[in-house]
Amino acid sequence: MLTSKVAKRYAQGLLDFTNESGQTATVFSEMKDVVKIMGESQDLNKFFLTPYIDSKKKVEVASQIFKGLSQSSQNLITLVIKHGRENQLKNIAQEFINKVEDINGVQRITLTTATQLSKENLDQILRSTNLVNANSNFDLKVNVKPEILGGYILRVGDQQIDASVKSKLNSIKKDFQLN
C-alpha cells in the first residue's frame, strides 16, 4: 500500500520530536494502539470522515478515546485533526511505526498463502529465500487467500516472490494465447 506524503511528513516530524525528547519507545507502542483502534472501529472512522462535524468536536471525542496516551501522542492527534487530516491518522501512525522499525532493523514480511500453514512450513519458506535476513528481526504478517489456489506470495519490503499456482496458471494461459 502506498503511503501518502502527508502521512510520511507527519510521521517524520513525530519521529524527530520523539528522538529529541527521548519518547520514541513510548510513542511507538501508543501508535500501535492508534492503528489498532482506527482499524477496528468503523464508527470512529465514519465520525472522523464526516465533513459537517467541526474539528473542535472531533478533538473533544479523540481526547476521550485516546485519553490514556502520552501528551505527545495526544498533541499529534489534536494537530492532525485541527489541520483537517484526520482521515490520515491511521496512516500517520502506521508510517511512524514503520520508520521506527526501519531504524531498529526490523524487516516487514507479508506471506500470502491459500491455506493456513504450520510453523514448520512458514520457517521453511522463510529460510528458502535470500530476501529474508535470518539474523535480523522481522515482523511477519500471514494472509490466507484461497483464490491463489496454492503456493505462496512472499513480500519483503518492496520485493516480491510470486510462487502461487494462480500466477503459474496465468503464465501458461498467456503462453497458449501467444502460440
Side-chain angles (χ1 to χ4, degrees):
M1 183 177 104
L2 293 174
T3 306
S4 72
K5 287 182 180 180
V6 169
K8 288 180 181 182
R9 287 184 179 158
Y10 275 91
Q12 186 61 51
L14 180 60
L15 182 61
D16 292 344
F17 174 77
T18 59
N19 282 337
E20 289 174 12
S21 62
Q23 299 176 335
T24 305
T26 303
V27 174
F28 176 74
S29 67
E30 292 174 348
M31 288 299 118
K32 284 186 172 184
D33 293 339
V34 170
V35 169
K36 183 179 178 199
I37 290 168
M38 296 297 292
E40 292 175 351
S41 177
Q42 292 299 324
D43 292 336
L44 181 60
N45 287 311
K46 287 178 186 176
F47 174 77
F48 279 150
L49 292 175
T50 306
Y52 54 85
I53 298 175
D54 69 337
S55 64
K56 290 179 183 176
K57 184 67 175 171
K58 290 179 182 180
V59 167
E60 184 181 312
V61 169
S63 67
Q64 290 300 312
I65 292 171
F66 300 111
K67 65 183 172 190
L69 303 183
S70 68
Q71 192 61 46
S72 298
S73 296
Q74 288 184 12
N75 288 345
L76 171 77
I77 294 168
T78 301
L79 179 72
V80 167
I81 293 170
K82 284 184 177 179
H83 286 167
R85 306 287 193 175
E86 56 271 14
N87 62 332
Q88 292 290 318
L89 185 58
K90 181 180 176 187
N91 293 337
I92 292 167
Q94 185 60 57
E95 184 63 19
F96 178 80
I97 292 167
N98 293 348
K99 286 181 179 293
V100 172
E101 286 178 345
D102 287 345
I103 290 170
N104 294 332
V106 176
Q107 284 185 306
R108 280 178 294 287
I109 301 171
T110 305
L111 180 64
T112 304
T113 61
T115 61
Q116 191 66 37
L117 297 178
S118 68
K119 176 86 168 107
E120 295 82 26
N121 288 343
L122 290 173
D123 290 341
Q124 184 179 5
I125 290 170
L126 295 177
R127 281 192 311 255
S128 70
T129 179
N130 59 356
L131 293 181
V132 178
N133 183 356
N135 298 329
S136 71
N137 294 333
F138 55 86
D139 179 24
L140 177 63
K141 180 179 178 187
V142 178
N143 297 326
V144 176
K145 292 188 177 180
E147 61 266 18
I148 69 168
L149 303 176
Y152 62 88
I153 301 171
L154 178 68
R155 184 164 186 80
V156 180
D158 62 350
Q159 297 180 320
Q160 178 172 300
I161 297 174
D162 190 345
S164 67
V165 172
K166 183 177 180 179
S167 68
K168 289 179 182 177
L169 288 174
N170 285 337
S171 174
I172 292 171
K173 181 179 174 183
K174 284 181 186 178
D175 287 345
F176 275 123
Q177 290 174 344
L178 293 175
N179 294 325

